[in-house]
Amino acid sequence: MTQLPQTTERKLGLVIDLDTCVGCHACVVSCKGWNTENYGAPLSDQEPYGEDPSGTFLNRVHSYEVTPAEPDATAKLIHFPKSCLHCEDAPCVTVCPTGASYKRVEDGIVLVNESDCIGCGLCAWACPYGARELDAKEKVMKKCTLCVDRIYNENLPEEDREPACVRTCPANARHFGDFADPESNVSKLTAERGGMDLMPEMGTKPVNKYLPPRPRDAAPDMDVLTPLLKPVATEAKGFVGWLDKALSTLPGGKN
Amino acid sequence: MHPAPSVIIFTTFSGLGFGMLFWLGIGVHTPTGFTAFAYFTVAYLMAVGGLLASTFHLGHPERALKAFTQWRSSWLSREGIAAVAALIVMALYGAGLVFAATPFPLVGIIGAILAALTVFTTSMIYTQLKTVPRWNQWPTPALFMSLSLGGGALFVGQVTLAFLLLLIAAVIQGIHWVAGDSRLADSGTTLGTATGLGTMGRVKAFEPPHTGTNYLLREFVHEVGRKHAFKLRVIAFGLGYALPLLLLALPYSFLLAALAAIAHVAGILASRWLFFAEAEHVVGLYYGKR
């Protein structure tokens, strides 16, 4: 049924730490590896070794450059993994005409029942985050399942009962837990580090939270007397100084 | 958005077909016998042909019947139900005209309401999407409705009605274009809010997830086609609205009306192509594109 539940008993989701993500794409690979051979249709590739390779991924890592407004601050590079945010008010679910898309009452996971999916693509249109991809081979909508076939799987050792992306992350930048429980690891991390929503203005109420990068440490002064030291010359001297002056007098040469 | 031929054909022709069925059902024109058969054939060819074209973009059209189940939440499901109901009721009304030369006014009016409802539900599929700010505005349903009713009147041969409604549609088209141009900026969604990094400074897409393309870029990012948007708007406006209005203002002749109808269809196809090609999906922001 494509009506959303009023509330869910648990709110399972991820915390992604943009401060510690190193952009290694291990989560992308482990996600594709697990999900292509477990829940639902495999994640196909088109021309994987050809001229124009493409394929279905449930998790993709972007990289962004952020230039602070302060004039002498340096730009930062931030790696940004993106997958389904398992929104509380998921627009992808309500637009589905067949009831294939649904949000689970017991844990809030948003799933697709692939045998009901007609591949119309409207749910992907409704998702602002690009979390859903129509598989070019299977013609059904694929999305992150939060590894629903791992987290409850009693055939796996207990330490493996978390999403493949979380299990594999070498930087420990991904955390899995229940946001409905204020004492859970993810709730605490979100509270401590100011976990944020993506596109809050869309009103989707994402469950997954992103931890902003911490401010960079400033290099400390070497000594209390450092500010009193003679500043390093900023004016050019000698031949270069003459050249600078001479060129500056030419029309258009001032700056 | 990717301007898929299937959805352009679907929205254009089924809009015209259901517009025709609306006016036939209302009873502005009650042809009988063979003439009625001709009118209803054209209307059904366009309405059903458009609906069939829309199934071409489905991944699994064999499961299409399941799409009638979720009318409580889904505009796409509501559209399917409204379309089938309108086609069945108008078939009864049409049968009365063709075989018995008798209009059943109540059946016609119910069919007309269902036909108009179908076009409205189609427009709401696009209007509901907050992710495409250009569509997420009231002129979208107004444009679909006025075009369907105006074009339908033109095809049913109602010159005055068609003239007035196309004039209204032309104004709404202008509003849709002009208002649409600033919708993405006005929505407040930027790469800064998309990544949550906007509070730190200016955010720039540095590196995409993969060197190749993907489903999201193919489906939602269509920058190339927008290069000629202005020229296409002029062509769409000239053929779709200005020329038909001019031809309808001249003393009536069948040839002029037919010419007006052909120009209108060509213009609306161009305008519908732009409706998709110009629409920016916010997911493009993650890729530094629109």
Side-chain angles (χ1 to χ4, degrees), chain A residues 1-2 60-67 94-95 97 99 114 116-119 125-127 130 138-139 199 201, chain B residues 59-60 63 66-67 70 72-74 131 189 193 196 201-202 204 206-207 209-210 213-214 216 219-220 281 286:
Chain A
M1 185 50 79
T2 59
R60 294 180 184 266
V61 179
H62 296 252
S63 296
Y64 297 104
E65 183 191 78
V66 182
T67 314
T94 50
V95 298
E114 292 174 6
D116 276 357
C117 176
I118 55 172
W125 289 23
C127 173
E138 298 290 335
K139 309 280 184 196
M199 290 192 204
E201 70 279 5
Chain B
H60 284 275
R63 301 173 187 159
K66 294 186 179 190
Q70 303 301 316
R72 285 188 197 84
S73 70
S74 167
T131 51
T189 299
T193 68
R202 193 169 50 81
K204 194 179 137 202
F206 182 76
E207 200 175 34
H210 295 88
T213 184
N214 62 35
L216 301 170
E219 186 79 359
F220 301 121
H281 193 291
Y286 284 108

Side-chain angles (χ1 to χ4, degrees), chain A residues 1-3 18 25 28 46 52-55 57 59-69 76-80 82 93-99 114-122 124-134 136 138-141 196-203 210 212-213, chain B residues 1-2 7 57-77 125-126 128-133 135 187-191 193-197 199-216 218-220 276 281-283 285-288:
Chain A
M1 185 50 79
T2 59
Q3 282 170 296
L18 298 179
H25 290 239
V28 178
Q46 281 66 47
D52 187 19
S54 69
F57 286 83
N59 178 28
R60 294 180 184 266
V61 179
H62 296 252
S63 296
Y64 297 104
E65 183 191 78
V66 182
T67 314
K76 290 175 181 150
L77 187 64
I78 290 154
H79 303 292
F80 190 92
K82 185 162 61 64
V93 169
T94 50
V95 298
C96 177
T98 67
E114 292 174 6
S115 60
D116 276 357
C117 176
I118 55 172
C120 68
L122 191 57
W125 289 23
C127 173
Y129 309 109
R132 288 172 169 248
E133 301 190 15
L134 190 75
E138 298 290 335
K139 309 280 184 196
V140 291
M141 198 52 75
M196 54 191 185
D197 288 347
L198 305 187
M199 290 192 204
E201 70 279 5
M202 285 280 162
Y210 282 75
Chain B
M1 301 294 292
H2 170 62
V7 278
H57 86 280
L58 296 182
H60 284 275
E62 76 279 7
R63 301 173 187 159
L65 280 180
K66 294 186 179 190
F68 293 111
T69 59
Q70 303 301 316
W71 49 272
R72 285 188 197 84
S73 70
S74 167
W75 281 106
L76 181 52
S77 186
I125 294 171
Y126 303 105
Q128 68 175 335
L129 297 172
K130 276 191 194 164
T131 51
V132 186
W135 292 347
S187 74
T189 299
T190 60
L191 184 51
T193 68
T195 57
L197 300 170
T199 48
M200 289 173 56
R202 193 169 50 81
V203 189
K204 194 179 137 202
F206 182 76
E207 200 175 34
H210 295 88
T211 50
T213 184
N214 62 35
Y215 167 76
L216 301 170
R218 284 191 295 265
E219 186 79 359
F220 301 121
F276 289 96
H281 193 291
V282 292
V283 78
L285 294 169
Y286 284 108
Y287 291 84

Side-chain angles (χ1 to χ4, degrees), chain B residues 134-218:
Chain B
R134 188 184 284 275
W135 292 347
N136 187 228
Q137 52 167 344
W138 70 263
T140 304
L143 181 64
F144 273 63
M145 294 301 289
S146 59
L147 272 177
S148 168
L149 297 183
L154 183 62
F155 274 80
V156 181
Q158 299 300 306
V159 174
T160 322
L161 265 176
F163 186 86
L164 285 173
L165 284 163
L166 287 183
L167 199 62
I168 294 169
V171 173
I172 297 172
Q173 174 77 82
I175 295 172
H176 195 271
W177 278 334
V178 174
D181 285 345
S182 60
R183 285 289 296 168
L184 179 62
D186 295 346
S187 74
T189 299
T190 60
L191 184 51
T193 68
T195 57
L197 300 170
T199 48
M200 289 173 56
R202 193 169 50 81
V203 189
K204 194 179 137 202
F206 182 76
E207 200 175 34
H210 295 88
T211 50
T213 184
N214 62 35
Y215 167 76
L216 301 170
L217 291 170
R218 284 191 295 265

Side-chain angles (χ1 to χ4, degrees), chain A residues 7 20 28 30 42 55 81 100 114 154 162 197 247:
Chain A
T7 52
T20 44
V28 178
S30 65
E114 292 174 6
E154 292 182 1
E162 59 181 10
D197 288 347
L247 289 175

Side-chain angles (χ1 to χ4, degrees), chain A residues 11-254:
Chain A
K11 289 178 189 169
L12 296 185
L14 303 175
V15 160
I16 294 167
D17 190 344
L18 298 179
D19 194 58
T20 44
C21 175
V22 294
C24 69
H25 290 239
C27 54
V28 178
V29 177
S30 65
C31 168
K32 180 120 174 172
W34 178 266
N35 286 295
T36 204
E37 55 191 24
N38 288 285
Y39 181 98
L43 305 171
S44 73
D45 288 322
Q46 281 66 47
E47 283 198 72
Y49 307 104
E51 271 186 11
D52 187 19
S54 69
T56 308
F57 286 83
L58 311 183
N59 178 28
R60 294 180 184 266
V61 179
H62 296 252
S63 296
Y64 297 104
E65 183 191 78
V66 182
T67 314
E70 299 84 58
D72 50 350
T74 51
K76 290 175 181 150
L77 187 64
I78 290 154
H79 303 292
F80 190 92
K82 185 162 61 64
S83 54
C84 174
L85 308 176
H86 297 279
C87 302
E88 286 182 51
D89 203 346
C92 55
V93 169
T94 50
V95 298
C96 177
T98 67
S101 278
Y102 61 104
K103 186 171 174 70
R104 301 193 345 158
V105 183
E106 60 269 39
D107 52 19
I109 300 179
V110 177
L111 285 178
V112 176
N113 176 357
E114 292 174 6
S115 60
D116 276 357
C117 176
I118 55 172
C120 68
L122 191 57
C123 55
W125 289 23
C127 173
Y129 309 109
R132 288 172 169 248
E133 301 190 15
L134 190 75
D135 188 85
K137 171 96 194 322
E138 298 290 335
K139 309 280 184 196
V140 291
M141 198 52 75
K142 299 297 298 183
K143 68 175 295 300
C144 161
T145 67
L146 216 58
C147 284
V148 69
D149 47 355
R150 287 175 68 96
I151 59 177
Y152 299 114
N153 193 336
E154 292 182 1
N155 295 319
L156 294 177
E158 203 166 338
E159 64 267 30
D160 283 336
R161 289 180 211 158
E162 59 181 10
C165 57
V166 176
R167 184 78 182 98
T168 206
C169 179
N172 208 18
R174 305 177 71 97
H175 307 269
F176 166 68
D178 178 12
F179 286 87
D181 172 10
E183 292 305 309
S184 69
N185 61 335
V186 286
S187 296
K188 282 184 188 161
L189 268 173
T190 307
E192 279 167 25
R193 298 272 309 279
M196 54 191 185
D197 288 347
L198 305 187
M199 290 192 204
E201 70 279 5
M202 285 280 162
T204 52
K205 293 194 251 163
V207 169
N208 284 12
K209 302 287 182 227
Y210 282 75
L211 305 182
R214 295 179 174 100
R216 274 196 196 155
D217 300 337
D221 283 341
M222 299 301 286
D223 191 279
V224 284
L225 298 176
T226 309
L228 304 175
L229 287 173
K230 203 172 144 197
V232 177
T234 50
E235 294 250 326
K237 282 179 188 161
F239 173 70
V240 177
W242 170 81
L243 193 65
D244 179 38
K245 237 184 262 171
L247 289 175
S248 297
T249 55
L250 291 175
K254 274 243 150 64

